[in-house]
Amino acid sequence: MTNQELFEEAKKARLQAYTPYSHFQVGAALLTRSGKVYHGCNIENAAYTPTNCAERTAFFKAVYEGEREFEKIAIVGAKEGEEPTNVCAPCGVCRQVMREFCSPEDFCILLADGKGGIKEWKLRELLPCGFGPEDLGE
């Protein structure tokens, strides 16, 4: 799957967002090594803290279905009714979830570049010195 195709899948996922408070909709499309795509959207809550990000929604769906190897994720976000064009980077919690399952050197994160294109980062670039399973000394 090309980066553009994955980006389009993230745009579709964004339309499922539940955002009655911020009206800022985020969609994610997570590509597994086996070629399957898992979609996620942000889901808000009136208490705010229980809100879940699109990236974690996609990862948790994939993990529930037995997936453990991931290649890349596309993330898009914008106000409701607007096209996603600006960078919508994953929050720190989502970056840490990615680190649990993904190689910092290999896993790619695709974001809009603000100019109509797509920018690609490695997880290591967005989460330097991340804490992973190997840091537990097991």
Side-chain angles (χ1 to χ4, degrees), residues 3-49:
N3 289 352
Q4 186 61 47
E5 289 169 333
L6 194 62
F7 204 72
E8 292 302 319
E9 290 297 313
K11 285 182 180 180
K12 291 178 194 173
R14 180 178 164 260
L15 300 177
Q16 299 300 319
Y18 175 74
T19 58
Y21 309 107
S22 73
H23 303 285
F24 191 87
Q25 301 173 316
V26 181
L30 175 64
L31 179 65
T32 68
R33 292 218 189 265
S34 65
K36 188 165 182 184
V37 175
Y38 288 86
H39 299 87
C41 64
N42 55 324
I43 303 166
E44 293 182 345
N45 187 286
Y48 295 109
T49 302

Side-chain angles (χ1 to χ4, degrees), residues 6 10 27-31 38 54-56 58-59 71-75 90 98 107-111:
L6 194 62
L30 175 64
L31 179 65
Y38 288 86
E55 301 90 313
R56 283 182 279 144
F59 266 94
E71 188 174 320
K72 57 187 168 180
I73 190 169
I75 306 162
M98 291 175 195
F107 187 70
C108 295
I109 301 166
L110 308 173
L111 307 172

Side-chain angles (χ1 to χ4, degrees), residues 4 7 84-87 110-120:
Q4 186 61 47
F7 204 72
T85 56
N86 292 329
V87 173
L110 308 173
L111 307 172
D113 67 1
K115 301 172 189 163
I118 299 170
K119 174 94 169 127
E120 180 177 321

Side-chain angles (χ1 to χ4, degrees), residues 61-83:
K61 284 171 59 177
V63 169
Y64 172 78
E65 292 193 17
E67 298 285 354
R68 297 294 187 275
E69 295 182 357
F70 305 98
E71 188 174 320
K72 57 187 168 180
I73 190 169
I75 306 162
V76 298
K79 286 296 256 183
E80 188 176 336
E82 296 178 11
E83 280 297 310

